[in-house]
């Protein structure tokens, strides 16, 4: 079917930033771009008057956790809670409404709560002394549990002693690798449950104008085999159920990595909606939890250099295992020491087995130095950034790393000026996948309330910010020739907005409405 959308403000995001009034699609591809008059001279099966609405390439979030998000949206959201009483009240309200068998919540942050301290076992016991309760901090590297949950964790078999050692039974806190132990206590998930989560999650993504996510899911669900999860996504695609592209950032243990090799997507596949992408690795924790690996430690704890997830040998081994089979690698590194270690390991991998076309990258790349950015450039490492992270982190960065070093952090403009490949994401559920708010953050460098600005000299232009989630977001998955811009012959992934981002104040981006989301020419969301 030939479908025309006309009377719009169509921004191609191509290299010349061409703008059009009309866009035509057919068989999932863009077949026309031009003026209203040129468009209306052609034959179309359907013509839609956009009445001035804006059209952009469909939004692409290059680092998030779709299944985590879908699970947590079923649980208790704690984003923005101001007091511990509020946490307890929200949880009790959910218990009264649904009488669940267990209660999981997420999103609290002691930095923005009145008490200014971590939640404890005593707080959690106020919620229930009968069912297991676990509330994850916004960073998901720390969780508070009630006594019932702690006793179930204590009774778990097959937990490595060094992981169990990260459980603070006294205060009810799980840290780092132990922060996922609560999952082993929950009822095991089956295929139908996982499919339902994906359906619920993708619906919300489409409503936000998103047509593609790079999602780290494979270890999100306790008891779900990561290879089976890949099968579930593929089944849903075969059944016509997927409404978003999912480029899986494959976080798996070494034994599953061997199995992943057999089922991974062909790197030349440009059309499947679900594809396996890079091997995902985590090298450190978070700044909030002071577990990010820092070269100079933390301002108030100079000897604390954070918590490495892998030894340097293990990091090298995991990177090389992917590198030698020409599978890209994306490594979570928040601290500058973690970033340095990843650069060292990448250098080794590349030295041993040169692969000119790799698209390895760093997820987050938050605390950097000019020298480390130069190294990323020299090694050809891309940056998967989350501009919206500055909303919370501008309040703590100087306290954590000092005023001087804080100037080198979250240096998005410096990355672009250097010529690094940079794309934008939300790390949802750490932050919501509101692309428009994420763009606002990159452009204004202000917090959501507009009361604080962080390194305004690192602000991006509107064009740069939009590219982070469109054209530049196509590069990490090697899709720049087939999508990410509106050009004839490219896949018809579009978002229709009620306002033109290039004609309004970026402060107002969060109020812009998504009117329609189109994947491969098919409408997957309409307001
Ligand atoms: Zn991460
Ligand atoms: Zn993440």
């Amino acid at each position: 079917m030939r479908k025309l959308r006309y009377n719009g403000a169509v921004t191609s995001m191509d290299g010349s930033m061409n703008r059009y009034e009309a866009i035509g699609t057919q068989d999932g591809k863009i077949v026309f771009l031009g003026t209203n008059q040129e468009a209306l001279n052609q034959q179309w099966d359907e013509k839609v008057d956009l009445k001035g609405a804006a059209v952009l390439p469909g939004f692409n979030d290059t680092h998030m956790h779709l299944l985590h998000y879908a699970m947590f949206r079923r649980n208790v959201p704690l984003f923005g809670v101001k007091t511990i009483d509020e946490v307890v009240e929200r949880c009790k309200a959910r218990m009264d409404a649904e009488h669940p068998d267990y209660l999981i919540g997420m999103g609290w942050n002691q930095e923005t709560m009145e008490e200014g301290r971590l939640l404890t076992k005593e707080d959690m016991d106020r919620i229930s002394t009968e069912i297991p309760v676990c509330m994850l901090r916004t960073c998901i590297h720390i969780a508070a549990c009630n006594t019932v949950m702690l006793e179930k964790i204590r009774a778990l078999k097959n937990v490595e002693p060094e992981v169990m050692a990260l459980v603070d039974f006294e205060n009810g806190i799980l840290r780092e690798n132990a922060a996922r132990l609560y999952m082993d206590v929950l009822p095991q998930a089956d295929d139908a449950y996982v499919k339902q989560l994906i359906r619920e999650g993708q619906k919300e993504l489409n409503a936000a104008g998103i047509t593609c996510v790079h999602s780290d899911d494979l270890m999100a669900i306790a008891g779900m085999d990561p290879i089976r999860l890949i099968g579930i996504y593929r089944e849903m695609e075969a059944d016509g159920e997927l409404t978003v592209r999912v480029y899986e950032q494959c976080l798996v243990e070494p034994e599953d990595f061997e199995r992943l090799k057999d089922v991974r997507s062909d790197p030349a596949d440009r059309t499947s909606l679900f594809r396996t992408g890079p091997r995902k690795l985590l090298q450190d924790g978070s700044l909030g939890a002071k577990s990010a690996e820092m070269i100079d430690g933390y301002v108030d704890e100079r000897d604390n250099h954070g918590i490495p997830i892998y030894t340097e040998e293990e990091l090298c081994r995991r990177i090389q295992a992917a590198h030698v089979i020409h599978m890209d690698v994306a490594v979570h590194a928040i601290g500058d020491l973690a970033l340095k270690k990843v650069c060292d390991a990448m250098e080794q991998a590349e030295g041993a087995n040169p692969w000119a076309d790799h698209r390895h990258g760093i997820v987050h790349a938050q605390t950097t130095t000019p020298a480390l950015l130069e190294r990323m450039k020299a090694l050809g490492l891309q940056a998967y950034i989350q501009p919206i992270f500055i909303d919370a982190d501008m309040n703590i960065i100087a306290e954590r790393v000092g005023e001087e070093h804080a100037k080198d952090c979250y240096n998005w403009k410096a990355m672009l000026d250097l010529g690094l490949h940079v794309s934008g994401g939300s790390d949802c559920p750490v932050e919501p996948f509101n692309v428009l708010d994420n763009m606002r953050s990159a452009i204004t460098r202000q917090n959501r309330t507009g009361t604080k600005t962080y390194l305004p000299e690192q602000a991006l232009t509107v064009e740069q910010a939009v590219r982070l989630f469109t054209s530049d977001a196509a590069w990490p998955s090697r899709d720049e020739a087939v999508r990410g811009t509106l050009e004839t012959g490219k896949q018809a992934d579009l978002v229709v907005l009620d306002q033109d981002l290039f004609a309004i104040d970026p402060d107002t981006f969060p109020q812009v409405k998504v009117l329609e989301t189109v994947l491969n020419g098919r409408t997957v969301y309409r307001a």
Side-chain angles (χ1 to χ4, degrees), residues 21 27 64 67 116 258 273 280 288 358 405 450 469 472:
E21 292 172 323
D27 302 328
M64 54 104 64
L67 284 175
E258 292 307 311
L273 295 178
K280 170 80 193 304
H358 77 74
H405 192 179
F469 296 90
D472 292 348

Side-chain angles (χ1 to χ4, degrees), residues 84-96:
I84 291 170
D85 280 348
E86 209 180 320
V87 172
V88 174
E89 278 156 27
R90 280 196 203 183
C91 290
K92 285 192 157 170
R94 177 62 65 92
M95 302 237 311
D96 290 344

Side-chain angles (χ1 to χ4, degrees), residues 4 39 52 93-94 105-106 159 262 278 316 320 417 424 459 492 499 523 526:
L4 177 71
R94 177 62 65 92
M106 190 199 168
V159 178
D262 298 332
C316 280
Q320 291 201 1
D417 288 348
Q499 295 190 71
T523 297
R526 199 188 301 278

Side-chain angles (χ1 to χ4, degrees), residues 88-370:
V88 174
E89 278 156 27
R90 280 196 203 183
C91 290
K92 285 192 157 170
R94 177 62 65 92
M95 302 237 311
D96 290 344
E98 295 175 14
H99 307 288
D101 299 331
Y102 59 88
L103 200 66
I104 307 298
M106 190 199 168
W108 60 274
N109 181 356
Q110 82 282 4
E111 305 283 349
T112 54
M113 288 166 69
E114 266 173 31
E115 293 85 352
R117 64 162 173 86
L118 297 180
L119 298 177
T120 64
K121 179 172 70 174
E122 282 70 32
D123 301 324
M124 298 297 96
D125 282 343
R126 285 170 59 200
I127 298 166
S128 174
T129 52
E130 276 152 29
I131 63 166
V133 172
C134 177
M135 297 291 134
L136 285 122
R137 191 181 176 278
T138 177
C139 65
I140 69 174
H141 293 273
I142 289 183
C145 300
N146 71 346
T147 304
V148 181
M149 177 62 89
L150 288 168
E151 288 317 310
K152 285 184 184 285
I153 287 173
R154 198 196 294 276
L156 285 173
K157 301 203 167 47
N158 308 323
V159 178
E160 289 162 19
E162 58 268 30
V163 174
M164 203 54 111
L166 294 169
V167 181
D168 175 353
F169 285 100
E170 172 103 17
N171 296 302
I173 301 290
L174 313 179
R175 284 195 167 81
E176 300 306 324
N177 278 345
R180 39 180 294 118
L181 285 179
Y182 74 92
M183 292 189 215
D184 296 342
V185 166
L186 305 184
Q188 302 299 292
D190 60 12
D191 289 11
Y193 169 75
V194 174
K195 286 185 179 178
Q196 187 52 28
L197 287 178
I198 295 170
R199 279 182 210 113
E200 291 169 10
Q202 68 181 5
K203 199 168 161 209
E204 303 284 331
L205 290 169
N206 292 152
I210 294 173
T211 53
C212 180
V213 291
H214 296 219
S215 187
D216 168 353
D217 300 310
L218 296 186
M219 288 175 69
I221 299 188
M224 174 55 66
D225 173 37
I227 307 303
R228 174 65 202 136
L229 185 52
I230 290 171
I232 288 177
Y233 269 119
R234 286 182 173 149
E235 269 174 36
M236 288 184 75
E237 178 170 0
D239 293 342
E241 279 212 80
L242 271 192
T243 63
V244 70
R245 298 180 195 279
V246 177
Y247 194 62
E248 186 64 41
Q249 295 179 333
C250 301
L251 179 71
V252 287
E253 291 302 334
E255 58 275 19
D256 290 325
F257 184 73
E258 292 307 311
R259 299 166 60 220
L260 175 65
K261 286 179 183 175
D262 298 332
V263 300
R264 78 171 174 128
S265 301
D266 178 353
D269 179 357
R270 301 267 79 81
T271 52
S272 295
L273 295 178
F274 175 84
R275 291 172 299 162
T276 61
R279 180 175 199 180
K280 170 80 193 304
L281 297 171
L282 286 135
Q283 179 53 27
D284 65 349
S286 73
L287 280 175
K290 289 194 195 169
S291 52
E293 279 197 283
M294 302 299 298
I295 294 171
D296 294 326
Y298 291 86
V299 167
D300 52 344
E301 280 180 64
R302 282 293 176 201
D303 294 333
N304 174 10
H305 296 279
I307 303 180
I309 308 275
Y310 311 121
T311 62
E312 281 150 279
E313 295 72 40
E314 183 60 20
L315 177 65
C316 280
R317 227 180 350 259
R318 291 188 188 214
I319 288 175
Q320 291 201 1
H323 182 85
V324 295
I325 59 164
H326 286 191
M327 181 174 184
D328 297 319
V329 183
V331 192
H332 162 121
I334 286 183
D336 51 13
L337 179 57
L339 177 54
K340 180 188 171 297
K341 287 180 178 177
V342 176
C343 286
D344 291 346
M346 292 285 188
E347 200 168 79
Q348 274 196 35
E350 185 60 17
N353 296 284
W355 174 25
D357 193 32
H358 77 74
R359 293 195 183 180
H360 300 324
I362 307 289
V363 180
H364 309 309
Q366 280 165 223
T367 56
T368 52
T369 63

Side-chain angles (χ1 to χ4, degrees), residues 63 65 280 364 427:
H63 178 65
H65 306 262
K280 170 80 193 304
H364 309 309
D427 205 6

